Amino acid sequence: MDAPRIGSLRGTFDFGALTLRWAEWGPVDGRPVVCVHGLTRNGRDFDALAQALAAQGRRVICPDVPGRGISDWLPAGALYAVPTYVGALMPLLAELGEYDWVGTSMGGLIGMGLCAMPAVAMRRIVLNDIGPFIPVASLARIRDYLQTFPEFASLAALEAQLRRVHAPFGALSDAEWAHLARHSARVTVHGTFVLHYDPAILEPMAGPLADVDLWALWELCVKRPVLVLRGESSDLLTTETASRMGASTGVTVETIPGCGHAPALMDPAQIALIQRFLED
C-alpha cells in the first residue's frame, strides 16, 4: 500500500491555536473528496477508499478531527462537539473550492452541520450509517465503551480490543484489522499502547443523554444529492430513519449486509457504491 502525503494547516480559533493534519491521496489538481471518520477513529480508516478514488483522478483528503490521530487535541473536553469540528475544518475547506463529502458516523454529522453554513461548496454527500435521528440507547452504548481508556501491553492486544468493539464494521481481513490497529495506536512514555484519541472526547456525553433530532437540518442537507449507507444491523441508523431519509428527493439509501455501526468502507462492493455515486 502506498503512503499518503501528510498535510497540515494551523489556525487560530476562539479556544486558541490548533493544527489540523490529514492524509491526502491522488493528484493535487483532482476534484476534491473529503472523508471524515467516526468518533474514536482517524483519517487512515479511509485508506482503501481513498486509493480507489485517487485512481480515478480524485484528490482525497482524510483529516484527523481534532483530538484524534495526528491532529492537535483541544484544550478542554467540553469543546469536543460538532460545531467546534465544523469551525476547525472551515479553513481547509475554504482552500478546496467545490468538494464532495464522505462522512462515517460523527463525520456524517459534521457534514450535515456544514450544510447549514452559508455558501457551502459541498457538491454531494455520503452519510455512512448516520442520519438526522439518533436513538438515546445507541448513544448510551457508545458512552459505555468510552468510559474505559485501557492501556495495552502490545499492539496485538490493542487490535484484539478493536476487533471486539468494532465487530459491526463487518468481515474484515486480518490485514485490514492490523491496518486499523497500527493507525489507532499511540505509544505511551511507559512503552504501553493506548488508542490514539484524547480521552476527554467523552466529556460532552457525561450528562443525561437524550435522542438526537436533527430533522430540521436534514432539509438543508438534501439541497444536494445524498447517498445513505446503512449497516443492516445498525442500532444508530434505524430502518425507520433510513426510510424517512430515502423519501426525500435526490436521496439514495443502500443497506450494507453483514455490518452494523458502521460499515468500514474497505470492501470493494462498498467502495464501488461510493465511486458510482460520486461519478454521476
Side-chain angles (χ1 to χ4, degrees):
M1 180 179 289
D2 295 334
R5 303 183 298 277
I6 301 299
S8 67
L9 186 63
R10 188 161 181 83
T12 301
F13 304 90
D14 291 344
F15 53 79
L18 171 81
T19 298
L20 181 77
R21 297 181 177 89
W22 61 87
E24 182 173 332
W25 308 82
V28 295
D29 60 349
R31 289 190 297 127
V33 183
V34 181
C35 301
V36 183
H37 59 79
L39 182 64
T40 64
R41 304 300 310 142
N42 62 78
R44 299 303 300 272
D45 283 8
F46 294 105
D47 279 10
L49 173 63
Q51 289 186 94
L53 293 172
Q56 295 180 309
R58 303 300 298 266
R59 178 188 179 193
V60 189
I61 297 170
C62 306
D64 286 349
V65 173
R68 289 84 170 172
I70 57 176
S71 285
D72 285 355
W73 290 9
L74 295 174
L79 292 169
Y80 287 116
V82 168
T84 303
Y85 305 145
V86 169
L89 287 165
M90 286 299 289
L92 168 63
L93 298 175
E95 295 185 355
L96 299 181
E98 188 178 66
Y99 57 89
D100 293 323
W101 187 273
V102 179
T104 293
S105 193
M106 179 189 73
L109 292 176
I110 297 170
M112 291 171 64
L114 283 164
C115 292
M117 303 296 288
V120 65
M122 187 186 300
R123 187 184 73 103
R124 289 175 172 248
I125 183 170
V126 179
L127 298 174
N128 183 26
D129 213 63
I130 191 68
F133 183 82
I134 305 173
V136 64
S138 63
L139 296 174
R141 174 183 60 77
I142 292 168
R143 183 174 66 180
D144 286 347
Y145 80 71
L146 282 177
Q147 285 178 331
T148 60
F149 191 73
E151 293 190 23
F152 303 93
S154 66
L155 185 59
L158 183 146
E159 180 183 324
Q161 170 76 350
L162 291 181
R163 287 176 180 252
R164 287 191 295 271
V165 171
H166 296 303
F169 280 9
L172 306 188
S173 69
D174 288 346
E176 288 167 338
W177 283 117
H179 171 84
L180 293 181
R182 186 164 61 253
H183 294 290
S184 299
R186 176 171 61 85
V187 181
T188 71
V189 295
H190 307 293
T192 57
F193 295 82
V194 294
L195 292 168
H196 208 338
Y197 62 83
D198 182 357
I201 64 172
L202 171 64
E203 189 171 319
M205 302 179 74
L209 298 175
D211 293 337
V212 174
D213 189 331
L214 301 174
W215 283 112
L217 183 59
W218 178 244
E219 299 308 314
L220 300 174
C221 297
V222 296
K223 292 183 176 181
R224 62 203 42 81
V226 181
L227 172 62
V228 179
L229 304 178
R230 178 182 182 270
E232 68 173 344
S233 60
S234 176
D235 64 337
L236 196 139
L237 179 57
T238 65
T239 54
E240 293 80 9
T241 298
S243 295
R244 183 173 169 184
M245 294 167 77
S248 298
T249 302
V251 178
T252 302
V253 178
E254 298 283 356
T255 299
I256 308 300
C259 298
H261 182 74
L265 306 185
M266 292 178 163
D267 180 82
Q270 296 171 26
I271 290 171
L273 286 172
I274 296 171
Q275 288 177 304
R276 287 195 294 270
F277 174 72
L278 298 183
E279 282 176 351
D280 288 343

PDB file of all heavy atoms in Angstrom, residues 43-67:
ATOM      1  N   GLY A  43      -8.335   9.453  10.186  1.00  0.00           N
ATOM      2  CA  GLY A  43      -8.439   9.530   8.743  1.00  0.00           C
ATOM      3  C   GLY A  43      -7.875   8.349   7.987  1.00  0.00           C
ATOM      4  O   GLY A  43      -8.247   8.116   6.830  1.00  0.00           O
ATOM      5  N   ARG A  44      -6.989   7.570   8.626  1.00  0.00           N
ATOM      6  CA  ARG A  44      -6.412   6.419   7.929  1.00  0.00           C
ATOM      7  C   ARG A  44      -7.408   5.273   7.780  1.00  0.00           C
ATOM      8  O   ARG A  44      -7.138   4.307   7.047  1.00  0.00           O
ATOM      9  CB  ARG A  44      -5.145   5.955   8.646  1.00  0.00           C
ATOM     10  CG  ARG A  44      -4.043   7.016   8.716  1.00  0.00           C
ATOM     11  CD  ARG A  44      -3.613   7.541   7.344  1.00  0.00           C
ATOM     12  NE  ARG A  44      -3.089   6.497   6.485  1.00  0.00           N
ATOM     13  CZ  ARG A  44      -1.815   6.126   6.461  1.00  0.00           C
ATOM     14  NH1 ARG A  44      -0.922   6.743   7.236  1.00  0.00           N
ATOM     15  NH2 ARG A  44      -1.416   5.169   5.644  1.00  0.00           N
ATOM     16  N   ASP A  45      -8.566   5.375   8.406  1.00  0.00           N
ATOM     17  CA  ASP A  45      -9.634   4.393   8.161  1.00  0.00           C
ATOM     18  C   ASP A  45     -10.022   4.352   6.689  1.00  0.00           C
ATOM     19  O   ASP A  45     -10.544   3.344   6.205  1.00  0.00           O
ATOM     20  CB  ASP A  45     -10.884   4.743   8.969  1.00  0.00           C
ATOM     21  CG  ASP A  45     -10.777   4.386  10.439  1.00  0.00           C
ATOM     22  OD1 ASP A  45      -9.689   3.999  10.890  1.00  0.00           O
ATOM     23  OD2 ASP A  45     -11.807   4.510  11.143  1.00  0.00           O
ATOM     24  N   PHE A  46      -9.792   5.451   5.970  1.00  0.00           N
ATOM     25  CA  PHE A  46     -10.265   5.583   4.595  1.00  0.00           C
ATOM     26  C   PHE A  46      -9.204   5.220   3.564  1.00  0.00           C
ATOM     27  O   PHE A  46      -9.409   5.480   2.369  1.00  0.00           O
ATOM     28  CB  PHE A  46     -10.736   7.018   4.346  1.00  0.00           C
ATOM     29  CG  PHE A  46     -11.949   7.415   5.128  1.00  0.00           C
ATOM     30  CD1 PHE A  46     -11.838   8.254   6.224  1.00  0.00           C
ATOM     31  CD2 PHE A  46     -13.207   6.960   4.770  1.00  0.00           C
ATOM     32  CE1 PHE A  46     -12.964   8.637   6.942  1.00  0.00           C
ATOM     33  CE2 PHE A  46     -14.335   7.335   5.482  1.00  0.00           C
ATOM     34  CZ  PHE A  46     -14.208   8.173   6.575  1.00  0.00           C
ATOM     35  N   ASP A  47      -8.095   4.620   3.964  1.00  0.00           N
ATOM     36  CA  ASP A  47      -7.007   4.377   3.005  1.00  0.00           C
ATOM     37  C   ASP A  47      -7.480   3.619   1.765  1.00  0.00           C
ATOM     38  O   ASP A  47      -7.131   3.976   0.638  1.00  0.00           O
ATOM     39  CB  ASP A  47      -5.867   3.607   3.683  1.00  0.00           C
ATOM     40  CG  ASP A  47      -4.958   4.501   4.505  1.00  0.00           C
ATOM     41  OD1 ASP A  47      -5.306   5.685   4.723  1.00  0.00           O
ATOM     42  OD2 ASP A  47      -3.894   4.017   4.951  1.00  0.00           O
ATOM     43  N   ALA A  48      -8.253   2.564   1.963  1.00  0.00           N
ATOM     44  CA  ALA A  48      -8.683   1.749   0.815  1.00  0.00           C
ATOM     45  C   ALA A  48      -9.598   2.552  -0.105  1.00  0.00           C
ATOM     46  O   ALA A  48      -9.432   2.556  -1.334  1.00  0.00           O
ATOM     47  CB  ALA A  48      -9.380   0.483   1.299  1.00  0.00           C
ATOM     48  N   LEU A  49     -10.584   3.229   0.470  1.00  0.00           N
ATOM     49  CA  LEU A  49     -11.485   4.061  -0.326  1.00  0.00           C
ATOM     50  C   LEU A  49     -10.719   5.182  -1.009  1.00  0.00           C
ATOM     51  O   LEU A  49     -10.925   5.468  -2.200  1.00  0.00           O
ATOM     52  CB  LEU A  49     -12.584   4.638   0.576  1.00  0.00           C
ATOM     53  CG  LEU A  49     -13.504   5.667  -0.076  1.00  0.00           C
ATOM     54  CD1 LEU A  49     -14.294   5.045  -1.220  1.00  0.00           C
ATOM     55  CD2 LEU A  49     -14.441   6.280   0.958  1.00  0.00           C
ATOM     56  N   ALA A  50      -9.818   5.827  -0.272  1.00  0.00           N
ATOM     57  CA  ALA A  50      -9.075   6.961  -0.822  1.00  0.00           C
ATOM     58  C   ALA A  50      -8.218   6.548  -2.013  1.00  0.00           C
ATOM     59  O   ALA A  50      -8.150   7.262  -3.024  1.00  0.00           O
ATOM     60  CB  ALA A  50      -8.212   7.588   0.269  1.00  0.00           C
ATOM     61  N   GLN A  51      -7.571   5.392  -1.918  1.00  0.00           N
ATOM     62  CA  GLN A  51      -6.741   4.947  -3.033  1.00  0.00           C
ATOM     63  C   GLN A  51      -7.584   4.612  -4.259  1.00  0.00           C
ATOM     64  O   GLN A  51      -7.174   4.886  -5.395  1.00  0.00           O
ATOM     65  CB  GLN A  51      -5.901   3.749  -2.598  1.00  0.00           C
ATOM     66  CG  GLN A  51      -4.794   4.146  -1.630  1.00  0.00           C
ATOM     67  CD  GLN A  51      -3.878   2.992  -1.314  1.00  0.00           C
ATOM     68  OE1 GLN A  51      -2.837   2.813  -1.935  1.00  0.00           O
ATOM     69  NE2 GLN A  51      -4.269   2.184  -0.354  1.00  0.00           N
ATOM     70  N   ALA A  52      -8.774   4.050  -4.036  1.00  0.00           N
ATOM     71  CA  ALA A  52      -9.654   3.736  -5.160  1.00  0.00           C
ATOM     72  C   ALA A  52     -10.137   5.022  -5.846  1.00  0.00           C
ATOM     73  O   ALA A  52     -10.183   5.103  -7.073  1.00  0.00           O
ATOM     74  CB  ALA A  52     -10.843   2.915  -4.685  1.00  0.00           C
ATOM     75  N   LEU A  53     -10.482   6.036  -5.059  1.00  0.00           N
ATOM     76  CA  LEU A  53     -10.924   7.305  -5.638  1.00  0.00           C
ATOM     77  C   LEU A  53      -9.762   8.039  -6.296  1.00  0.00           C
ATOM     78  O   LEU A  53      -9.929   8.657  -7.356  1.00  0.00           O
ATOM     79  CB  LEU A  53     -11.558   8.181  -4.556  1.00  0.00           C
ATOM     80  CG  LEU A  53     -12.886   7.676  -3.971  1.00  0.00           C
ATOM     81  CD1 LEU A  53     -13.302   8.534  -2.787  1.00  0.00           C
ATOM     82  CD2 LEU A  53     -13.982   7.669  -5.028  1.00  0.00           C
ATOM     83  N   ALA A  54      -8.583   7.957  -5.687  1.00  0.00           N
ATOM     84  CA  ALA A  54      -7.402   8.599  -6.274  1.00  0.00           C
ATOM     85  C   ALA A  54      -7.069   8.000  -7.632  1.00  0.00           C
ATOM     86  O   ALA A  54      -6.625   8.705  -8.542  1.00  0.00           O
ATOM     87  CB  ALA A  54      -6.218   8.473  -5.322  1.00  0.00           C
ATOM     88  N   ALA A  55      -7.295   6.694  -7.774  1.00  0.00           N
ATOM     89  CA  ALA A  55      -7.040   6.036  -9.059  1.00  0.00           C
ATOM     90  C   ALA A  55      -7.962   6.551 -10.157  1.00  0.00           C
ATOM     91  O   ALA A  55      -7.663   6.396 -11.346  1.00  0.00           O
ATOM     92  CB  ALA A  55      -7.203   4.520  -8.906  1.00  0.00           C
ATOM     93  N   GLN A  56      -9.062   7.175  -9.762  1.00  0.00           N
ATOM     94  CA  GLN A  56      -9.983   7.792 -10.714  1.00  0.00           C
ATOM     95  C   GLN A  56      -9.679   9.278 -10.915  1.00  0.00           C
ATOM     96  O   GLN A  56     -10.462   9.988 -11.536  1.00  0.00           O
ATOM     97  CB  GLN A  56     -11.423   7.630 -10.224  1.00  0.00           C
ATOM     98  CG  GLN A  56     -11.901   6.190 -10.169  1.00  0.00           C
ATOM     99  CD  GLN A  56     -13.326   6.091  -9.679  1.00  0.00           C
ATOM    100  OE1 GLN A  56     -13.685   6.651  -8.645  1.00  0.00           O
ATOM    101  NE2 GLN A  56     -14.156   5.394 -10.438  1.00  0.00           N
ATOM    102  N   GLY A  57      -8.572   9.730 -10.369  1.00  0.00           N
ATOM    103  CA  GLY A  57      -8.170  11.110 -10.570  1.00  0.00           C
ATOM    104  C   GLY A  57      -8.669  12.092  -9.538  1.00  0.00           C
ATOM    105  O   GLY A  57      -8.524  13.310  -9.718  1.00  0.00           O
ATOM    106  N   ARG A  58      -9.235  11.577  -8.436  1.00  0.00           N
ATOM    107  CA  ARG A  58      -9.735  12.463  -7.396  1.00  0.00           C
ATOM    108  C   ARG A  58      -8.643  12.781  -6.379  1.00  0.00           C
ATOM    109  O   ARG A  58      -7.791  11.944  -6.070  1.00  0.00           O
ATOM    110  CB  ARG A  58     -10.935  11.831  -6.673  1.00  0.00           C
ATOM    111  CG  ARG A  58     -12.106  11.443  -7.545  1.00  0.00           C
ATOM    112  CD  ARG A  58     -12.723  12.616  -8.291  1.00  0.00           C
ATOM    113  NE  ARG A  58     -13.262  13.625  -7.410  1.00  0.00           N
ATOM    114  CZ  ARG A  58     -14.552  13.685  -7.018  1.00  0.00           C
ATOM    115  NH1 ARG A  58     -15.416  12.770  -7.455  1.00  0.00           N
ATOM    116  NH2 ARG A  58     -14.971  14.653  -6.247  1.00  0.00           N
ATOM    117  N   ARG A  59      -8.665  13.984  -5.874  1.00  0.00           N
ATOM    118  CA  ARG A  59      -7.823  14.382  -4.734  1.00  0.00           C
ATOM    119  C   ARG A  59      -8.612  14.065  -3.475  1.00  0.00           C
ATOM    120  O   ARG A  59      -9.704  14.612  -3.267  1.00  0.00           O
ATOM    121  CB  ARG A  59      -7.491  15.873  -4.795  1.00  0.00           C
ATOM    122  CG  ARG A  59      -6.652  16.370  -3.621  1.00  0.00           C
ATOM    123  CD  ARG A  59      -6.522  17.890  -3.645  1.00  0.00           C
ATOM    124  NE  ARG A  59      -5.743  18.372  -2.529  1.00  0.00           N
ATOM    125  CZ  ARG A  59      -5.665  19.646  -2.151  1.00  0.00           C
ATOM    126  NH1 ARG A  59      -6.352  20.570  -2.827  1.00  0.00           N
ATOM    127  NH2 ARG A  59      -4.934  19.990  -1.111  1.00  0.00           N
ATOM    128  N   VAL A  60      -8.087  13.182  -2.631  1.00  0.00           N
ATOM    129  CA  VAL A  60      -8.837  12.699  -1.472  1.00  0.00           C
ATOM    130  C   VAL A  60      -8.128  13.150  -0.202  1.00  0.00           C
ATOM    131  O   VAL A  60      -6.951  12.861   0.006  1.00  0.00           O
ATOM    132  CB  VAL A  60      -8.975  11.166  -1.493  1.00  0.00           C
ATOM    133  CG1 VAL A  60      -9.939  10.714  -0.400  1.00  0.00           C
ATOM    134  CG2 VAL A  60      -9.456  10.683  -2.860  1.00  0.00           C
ATOM    135  N   ILE A  61      -8.845  13.860   0.643  1.00  0.00           N
ATOM    136  CA  ILE A  61      -8.307  14.442   1.870  1.00  0.00           C
ATOM    137  C   ILE A  61      -9.033  13.807   3.049  1.00  0.00           C
ATOM    138  O   ILE A  61     -10.263  13.860   3.136  1.00  0.00           O
ATOM    139  CB  ILE A  61      -8.486  15.965   1.865  1.00  0.00           C
ATOM    140  CG1 ILE A  61      -7.688  16.573   0.707  1.00  0.00           C
ATOM    141  CG2 ILE A  61      -8.062  16.575   3.195  1.00  0.00           C
ATOM    142  CD1 ILE A  61      -7.982  18.028   0.453  1.00  0.00           C
ATOM    143  N   CYS A  62      -8.262  13.201   3.949  1.00  0.00           N
ATOM    144  CA  CYS A  62      -8.825  12.453   5.081  1.00  0.00           C
ATOM    145  C   CYS A  62      -8.302  13.051   6.390  1.00  0.00           C
ATOM    146  O   CYS A  62      -7.257  12.632   6.908  1.00  0.00           O
ATOM    147  CB  CYS A  62      -8.447  10.982   4.982  1.00  0.00           C
ATOM    148  SG  CYS A  62      -8.881  10.202   3.401  1.00  0.00           S
ATOM    149  N   PRO A  63      -8.989  14.056   6.927  1.00  0.00           N
ATOM    150  CA  PRO A  63      -8.485  14.713   8.136  1.00  0.00           C
ATOM    151  C   PRO A  63      -8.601  13.822   9.372  1.00  0.00           C
ATOM    152  O   PRO A  63      -9.479  12.953   9.468  1.00  0.00           O
ATOM    153  CB  PRO A  63      -9.401  15.934   8.286  1.00  0.00           C
ATOM    154  CG  PRO A  63     -10.177  16.031   7.013  1.00  0.00           C
ATOM    155  CD  PRO A  63     -10.228  14.660   6.440  1.00  0.00           C
ATOM    156  N   ASP A  64      -7.695  14.061  10.300  1.00  0.00           N
ATOM    157  CA  ASP A  64      -7.876  13.615  11.674  1.00  0.00           C
ATOM    158  C   ASP A  64      -8.592  14.750  12.400  1.00  0.00           C
ATOM    159  O   ASP A  64      -8.047  15.847  12.552  1.00  0.00           O
ATOM    160  CB  ASP A  64      -6.532  13.338  12.353  1.00  0.00           C
ATOM    161  CG  ASP A  64      -5.881  12.050  11.878  1.00  0.00           C
ATOM    162  OD1 ASP A  64      -6.549  11.267  11.185  1.00  0.00           O
ATOM    163  OD2 ASP A  64      -4.699  11.831  12.208  1.00  0.00           O
ATOM    164  N   VAL A  65      -9.821  14.507  12.804  1.00  0.00           N
ATOM    165  CA  VAL A  65     -10.588  15.520  13.520  1.00  0.00           C
ATOM    166  C   VAL A  65      -9.845  15.864  14.816  1.00  0.00           C
ATOM    167  O   VAL A  65      -9.225  14.988  15.432  1.00  0.00           O
ATOM    168  CB  VAL A  65     -12.012  14.994  13.801  1.00  0.00           C
ATOM    169  CG1 VAL A  65     -12.802  15.947  14.689  1.00  0.00           C
ATOM    170  CG2 VAL A  65     -12.755  14.765  12.486  1.00  0.00           C
ATOM    171  N   PRO A  66      -9.851  17.125  15.252  1.00  0.00           N
ATOM    172  CA  PRO A  66      -9.137  17.488  16.486  1.00  0.00           C
ATOM    173  C   PRO A  66      -9.428  16.516  17.628  1.00  0.00           C
ATOM    174  O   PRO A  66     -10.562  16.106  17.852  1.00  0.00           O
ATOM    175  CB  PRO A  66      -9.677  18.884  16.794  1.00  0.00           C
ATOM    176  CG  PRO A  66      -9.950  19.462  15.437  1.00  0.00           C
ATOM    177  CD  PRO A  66     -10.474  18.302  14.619  1.00  0.00           C
ATOM    178  N   GLY A  67      -8.345  16.156  18.325  1.00  0.00           N
ATOM    179  CA  GLY A  67      -8.447  15.196  19.419  1.00  0.00           C
ATOM    180  C   GLY A  67      -8.206  13.768  19.003  1.00  0.00           C
ATOM    181  O   GLY A  67      -8.199  12.865  19.845  1.00  0.00           O
TER     182      GLY A  67
END
